[in-house]
Structures are given as structure tokens and as C-alpha cells.
Amino acid sequence: MHIHIGASQTGKAIKITGSRSLTLRNILHVAKHVKGMDVVGIIDCHSPEVIQELKELKLEGCLKELEEGGLSIDGLTLIPGAEIEINDENCKGPIHVLVYMPSLAAMENLSLWLSSRMKNIHLSSQRMYGSALDLQHFVKNSGGLFIPAHIFTPFKSLYGKGVAISLSEVLDPTLIDGVELGLSSNTEMASRLEELSSFTFLTNSDAHSLEKIAREYQMLSLKEPTFKEFKMALQGKNGREIIANYGLNPYLGKYYNSVCETCLEVYLLNSEKCDKCGSKKFVKGVKDRINELQGTQTSKSKVNRPPYIHQIPLEFIPGLGPKSLFKLREAIGTDMDIIHSSTENQLKEIVKPAIAEQILSARNGDLSVQMGGGGTYGKVIVNHPSKTKK
């Protein structure tokens, strides 16, 4: 539910840090036929060129607007969204939020509303000049969904630098439909904060390249893949719900540990300087930030949440290169088929036994991982028993 568009159909940049191969059509194909997704959220649909391309797909008969919201394309449901940066007078630093709209018309209205509040409506994740509350009210009055993005990431997130202690410093909690955990946290970590006990947790990829699609995702119980059903799942209504969150082991995230900005060694927060290079500058990791927040709002609520299943994306598997991955997909199917249901014999017919064993070990939560931090991903350590299970 968090996929960026790198370039428009005319070649203009949309997400500047995204791959240029992240075009709308490429995303739709890869999400459905390579990754095995049923529902996706593309969060640069506010860009006028993206809106125009969606309209063209509709005229061509490739896209159908669903009565209960969402866009159906080749058996895949697209929920149009936008990532927006907020930094009003109540923020301690910039915050990114995700907004989803039920229809093309609603997304076009959002784009028009934002165009007078942004310097460049064509680009992704741009600063909105206005209050967070104004945005929340506009979204809710338009029938949309409002979700703070990657809430613990050190930069441009709610608990990173956005607020001192509580999300209510900036946002109206009653107008939040869920929170996105980010790659460096999981349900257990986020559940330590009392004020998050009423919110549904989402696990999303924040994909900046085609291969990053579906490195995190959620399994939903829906009657049909529509916007209305997705909204009910976030609310846990009428049997609609999130069945399971599939996400990275937080150790693999780029910001799990606190590290020195200069040498990237682990930085102990009670130290005056880095033990290795002497620098006093560091990037506070998600683990330490949650521990810090927990001291002020320890959770007392016992919330029955769906399981959080530690997911190792195929690109993290040591020794599994692009050619071998292509062969696996050709023989077995989508990444969902390979990760969740392929057999040992199927895998060993295509890749080396050691790689097959790594894929199965990843499924079982038996791989050890080295912690990431300061913008550097963690990595899988081969042939070591895992210290962190599912």
C-alpha cells in the first residue's frame, strides 16, 4: 500500500529518488504478475500526469472504477493515494502521511486542493503549506483515509522528529485510520506505546524500485477487493480485518540501531561521543526511540492484534541473484508462491541446495540477521541459527 512512481509516461520525474522503471504500467504488471498482489496503493496518484494516465487507461477500457471504490486493472485493485509532507507550527520536524481516496474524481479534487498549497504538485512527497488538521479534515470530508507513514523512522516521521511525545501534538487522533510501522519496527515494538493501542498497524514496503514491491504487506479478509472493504478492514468491522502483517525482521531495517553519523558504528545513547571515532553526531535508531517514548506512555492495554510474521524478501537471500530469481519465477510463479508455498524439491530443481535451504529457513524464521542503522540495511547472516524467530 506504499508504492512510489519514479517517472510519468512522458518520462518526467515524480519520485526523484525512485527508479525510473517505476512507471504506472510497470508497477501494475509487477505487483500482479511477479509479486502476486491483489490490492496495491500507489501513493503518487495526486500528480496530474498520473491522473491523466489513469484517465487514459479508463478510456482504453483497461481500467474500471469500482462501485465501492478503488480502480480495477487486469484483476488487480489499485487504491489511489498520495504521500504528503507536513511541517506546520505544531511539528518539531517534517512528518510524512499517506492519504488514500476512493475514486479518480476524489483524487483529482485532492490534487487541485494541494496545488495551491504545494510548490510543485507534480512531484512526490512534497511539503504542504498548511496545517495538518486542515489536511485531515479535507481528507475525511472527501471520504478518504489518513495514515501517518513509517511512524518511527528518524527522518520525516511522526515519532522520529515530528513530535516530542504524543501524536496529538500535531494530529487529531479521531481522524487517523491506521498507522504504518516502517521497516525497522514490528507489532511488538509499536505495541509498547499506549496511544497506538486503538490504531490498526500497517506493514508497507515504501517501494522505490520494482523489486522492493511487496517486501512488506498485509493479508486482508475482505468480501471483495474494494476501497470500502479495505476501510472496513482497517476498522475491524463486519468480519473484515487484517489477518496477518508480513514485514521485515526489524533488524533488517535501515534505522533499527542508533549509529554514529561519521563511522556508522553502534552509538550508545548514554555515551558522550562515539567509542570508535569520537564524533558526537549520531542517528537515533527506532529501537532507542521507542524505548524513550515508552518511558512516558507505557502501554497498559491488551490489544488482540494479528500475528506479525517476519518476512525475508527474496532479494535479501544470500547468493540468489537476478538470473536465479528469474528462473524461480518462471518455474514456480509469483514471489508469494515462492516464499509461502514452494516445496524443497521444487526449489532444488532450480537453484543450488544452499539457496533453497536459505529460502525455507527464511520462511520458518530460522535465519540470523545483522542489525541495520543510520540508513544502511541489515543483512542475512548465512549458516547461523536465528536469535529472532517469527
Side-chain angles (χ1 to χ4, degrees), residues 253-273:
K254 293 166 69 174
Y255 298 105
Y256 179 78
N257 240 348
S258 296
V259 300
C260 172
E261 280 190 13
T262 303
C263 68
L264 297 183
E265 286 294 311
V266 174
Y267 194 101
L268 301 176
L269 294 191
N270 57 359
S271 301
E272 293 184 0
K273 59 184 180 180

Side-chain angles (χ1 to χ4, degrees), residues 83-127:
E83 184 172 32
I84 301 164
E85 183 172 304
I86 299 167
N87 196 10
D88 63 22
E89 66 276 6
N90 298 314
C91 294
K92 309 300 179 186
I95 294 170
H96 281 187
V97 299
L98 305 175
V99 169
Y100 300 99
M101 289 296 179
S103 65
L104 268 175
M107 178 52 69
E108 191 164 19
N109 286 337
L110 173 67
S111 180
L112 290 170
W113 187 80
L114 290 172
S115 64
S116 63
R117 295 165 173 83
M118 285 182 177
K119 291 184 178 179
N120 192 338
I121 190 62
H122 296 277
L123 294 180
S124 170
S125 311
Q126 294 298 288
R127 175 79 55 84

Side-chain angles (χ1 to χ4, degrees), residues 299-327:
S299 180
K300 299 176 183 177
S301 302
K302 298 295 182 182
V303 180
N304 184 24
R305 293 196 179 276
Y308 187 104
I309 300 171
H310 284 160
Q311 182 75 60
I312 306 290
L314 292 173
E315 66 171 336
F316 276 85
I317 301 297
L320 182 60
K323 291 183 179 179
S324 296
L325 182 52
F326 177 80
K327 290 179 181 179

